[in-house]
Amino acid sequence: MAEIKDPENTIIIELKDGPVVIELLTDVAPKHAERMKELARAGKYDNVAFHRVIEGFMAQTGDVQHANMENNYNPGRSGTGGSDLPDLPAEFSKLPHDRGTLGAARSQNPNSANSQFFINFKDNHFLNGQYTVYGRVVSGMEHVDKIARGEPPANPDRMISVKVAADA
């Protein structure tokens, strides 16, 4: 696992193949980074499925309303929900959507991001300036690469646990 420089602003996602360490970009997207920490600390991301995983593009997860595989899991609605917290305003920046960056998933409304996010499998620069980048994988990308593909996957992988490193 990577050396953790700022435990308060680092997320550890446990996947079936091992941990993924994400550095939150609090200077670039403070509201999105804070939301991820709030939901992680509340245990909301634990057991949430990767409901949309597209080869050569990205892995999307974070629907805490419909995609918790241990609590009222609804594969037909996975990807349509968020949290009980208000939506976030866009925090667009000049940071590119490079391999391993974390982007805020949203509807057509730029200010509709809530709990869902995606991890880019490759550089997806066509997303630049349209989706908030608020984190980057610093170790464990090889585990992200093994997430089951599909929209939705036949047997989806899940985030086993999501913790703020300071609390782990």
Side-chain angles (χ1 to χ4, degrees), residues 109-124:
N109 176 349
N111 300 312
S112 65
N114 189 293
S115 62
Q116 292 189 45
F117 63 92
F118 57 91
I119 302 171
N120 288 293
F121 286 133
K122 68 177 193 77
D123 294 353
N124 289 313

Side-chain angles (χ1 to χ4, degrees), residues 24-30 33:
L24 293 174
L25 304 173
T26 55
D27 52 333
V28 175

Side-chain angles (χ1 to χ4, degrees), residues 54-71:
I54 302 171
E55 181 66 43
F57 181 31
M58 57 89 220
Q60 185 171 333
T61 185
D63 180 347
V64 301
Q65 187 176 6
H66 302 298
N68 183 325
M69 296 178 76
E70 299 294 320
N71 184 12

Side-chain angles (χ1 to χ4, degrees), residues 1-155:
M1 208 156 48
E3 177 194 343
I4 295 174
K5 297 181 183 85
D6 181 2
E8 180 55 31
N9 292 303
T10 302
I11 296 288
I12 301 170
I13 300 175
E14 195 63 43
L15 299 180
K16 72 180 186 321
D17 293 304
V20 178
V21 179
I22 295 170
E23 169 192 33
L24 293 174
L25 304 173
T26 55
D27 52 333
V28 175
K31 290 178 174 70
H32 286 75
E34 197 54 45
R35 172 66 54 86
M36 183 163 215
K37 292 192 301 184
E38 183 177 356
L39 292 171
R41 285 192 160 123
K44 299 286 189 183
Y45 283 131
D46 296 353
N47 293 304
V48 172
F50 283 89
H51 66 270
R52 183 171 176 245
V53 185
I54 302 171
E55 181 66 43
F57 181 31
M58 57 89 220
Q60 185 171 333
T61 185
D63 180 347
V64 301
Q65 187 176 6
H66 302 298
N68 183 325
M69 296 178 76
E70 299 294 320
N71 184 12
N72 298 320
Y73 179 52
N74 186 337
R77 298 210 51 207
S78 290
T80 64
S83 72
D84 54 5
L85 300 169
D87 289 346
L88 295 168
E91 293 179 292
F92 299 154
S93 69
K94 299 277 187 222
L95 276 182
H97 281 266
D98 287 340
R99 173 173 163 78
T101 54
L102 206 70
R106 60 170 178 79
S107 71
Q108 293 298 100
N109 176 349
N111 300 312
S112 65
N114 189 293
S115 62
Q116 292 189 45
F117 63 92
F118 57 91
I119 302 171
N120 288 293
F121 286 133
K122 68 177 193 77
D123 294 353
N124 289 313
H125 293 171
F126 66 94
L127 299 174
N128 293 354
Q130 299 178 64
Y131 292 83
T132 300
V133 174
Y134 65 100
R136 71 170 55 96
V137 174
V138 293
S139 77
M141 195 61 198
E142 68 275 16
H143 307 313
V144 174
D145 288 334
K146 294 178 184 170
I147 295 169
R149 304 314 199 249
E151 296 183 74
N155 294 299

